[in-house]
């Protein structure tokens, strides 16, 4: 099986712009979670989607949003980018909501200038 | 919401020495705890989970409910153990997304 795939892998934006990141989960996995990884804060939970519905949301401002499509692929969007949004954004999938094991992608590294 | 604390940002040990990576948690109910590992240039991946009670790559972790700890241990460190280690548990009771500690970087010195 192919692993979790995230695109793009690297991107550079300027303050005020917006960005959309994409995640394709492992085939058959219906749950997708997003995390922000920074050296100072580690991994912080953004949100989780299951069957196109947001099930849980972390403590991030409304500029961070996401969605999931019927094929389980997910996108997250950050609007009005700030310098502090520079981070590695990780997507993880799992088969359902009754198992804790997450399978992570390689991440999308966002740099905001 | 639950919380995970990993008190050490960096832990350096010599090859062959014992390793203990600390993890403390706050949780209401019976937690399911995990250790994830990220080797250099690799994806974050599951190392072990407490319900399986397995030893993976020589690592074990015991859940101590009295001390609310889930420390990761290995009797003899190897250079290939150098990596970033994260302790994690469900965000809320039940099988909800995981919340991670800030991680401990283990450096094994030859």
């Amino acid at each position: 099986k192919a692993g979790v795939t995230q695109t793009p892998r690297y991107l550079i934006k300027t303050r005020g712009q917006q960005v959309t990141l994409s995640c394709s989960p492992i085939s058959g996995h219906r749950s997708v979670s997003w995390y922000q990884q920074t050296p100072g804060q580690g991994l912080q939970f953004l949100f989780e989607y299951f069957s196109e519905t947001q099930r849980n949301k972390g403590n991030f401002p409304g500029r961070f949003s996401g969605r999931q499509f019927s094929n389980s692929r997910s996108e997250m969007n950050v609007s009005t980018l700030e310098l502090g949004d520079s981070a590695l954004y990780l997507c993880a999938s799992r088969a359902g909501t009754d198992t804790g094991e997450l399978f992570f992608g390689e991440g999308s590294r966002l740099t905001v200038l | 919401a639950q919380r995970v604390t990993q008190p050490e940002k960096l832990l350096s040990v010599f090859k062959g020495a014992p390793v203990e990576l600390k993890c403390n948690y706050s949780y209401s109910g019976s937690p399911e705890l995990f250790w994830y590992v990220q080797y250099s240039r690799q994806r974050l991946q599951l190392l072990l989970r407490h319900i399986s009670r397995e030893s993976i790559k020589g690592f074990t972790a015991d859940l101590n409910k009295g001390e609310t700890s889930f420390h990761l241990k290995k009797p003899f460190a190897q250079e290939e153990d150098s990596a970033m280690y994260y302790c994690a548990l469900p965000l809320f009771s039940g099988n909800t997304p995981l919340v991670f500690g800030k991680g401990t970087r283990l450096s094994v010195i030859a």
Side-chain angles (χ1 to χ4, degrees):
Chain A
K1 277 186 179 178
V4 177
T5 305
Q6 293 188 244
T7 57
R9 292 289 316 281
Y10 304 91
L11 64 167
I12 299 173
K13 294 284 187 179
T14 56
R15 280 183 300 173
Q17 288 187 309
Q18 73 165 13
V19 66
T20 299
L21 309 177
S22 179
C23 171
S24 293
I26 290 173
S27 178
H29 285 192
R30 297 168 63 190
S31 171
V32 173
S33 300
W34 288 90
Y35 291 84
Q36 182 193 66
Q37 186 178 31
T38 58
Q41 298 299 317
L43 281 98
Q44 293 186 281
F45 171 69
L46 282 157
F47 23 67
E48 180 189 38
Y49 288 88
F50 180 79
S51 294
E52 302 179 66
T53 301
Q54 187 181 90
R55 283 173 43 87
N56 292 285
K57 189 176 191 302
N59 189 25
F60 277 80
R63 301 185 296 107
F64 291 81
S65 63
R67 58 178 176 169
Q68 187 181 34
F69 302 96
S70 58
N71 61 358
S72 294
R73 189 177 70 85
S74 177
E75 288 181 347
M76 66 163 283
N77 183 276
V78 188
S79 62
T80 320
L81 284 166
E82 301 177 358
L83 296 179
D85 297 332
S86 294
L88 181 68
Y89 290 87
L90 292 173
C91 169
S93 73
R94 52 181 178 166
T97 58
D98 60 351
T99 171
E101 181 173 1
L102 296 173
F103 295 84
F104 282 87
E106 294 179 289
S108 292
R109 184 166 295 282
L110 170 65
T111 301
V112 182
L113 302 177
Chain B
Q2 323 306 339
R3 182 179 296 176
V4 179
T5 303
Q6 294 181 250
E8 303 141 329
K9 281 189 176 181
L10 174 65
L11 182 64
S12 296
V13 301
F14 286 102
K15 178 181 175 182
V19 174
E20 183 178 56
L21 299 166
K22 292 183 169 52
C23 171
N24 291 92
Y25 65 90
S26 63
Y27 193 88
S28 54
S30 297
E32 181 177 6
L33 284 136
F34 304 81
W35 277 99
Y36 278 76
V37 61
Q38 190 168 30
Y39 301 103
S40 179
R41 295 197 177 97
Q42 293 189 30
R43 303 173 186 226
L44 191 61
Q45 59 187 285
L46 177 67
L47 178 63
L48 57 80
R49 55 199 304 176
H50 92 273
I51 60 170
S52 64
R53 298 186 178 275
E54 291 177 308
S55 172
I56 306 294
K57 299 184 178 182
F59 284 98
T60 58
D62 291 320
L63 178 61
N64 186 324
K65 291 186 179 181
E67 296 182 358
T68 60
S69 68
F70 188 56
H71 302 329
L72 184 68
K73 300 177 183 179
K74 184 170 183 176
F76 308 103
Q78 303 299 316
E79 289 179 73
E80 56 265 30
D81 296 328
S82 295
M84 196 74 180
Y85 291 81
Y86 293 94
C87 183
L89 51 63
L91 184 63
F92 302 107
S93 297
N95 286 301
T96 53
L98 298 183
V99 60
F100 290 79
K102 293 188 178 182
T104 298
R105 180 168 296 283
L106 174 64
S107 177
V108 180
I109 305 164

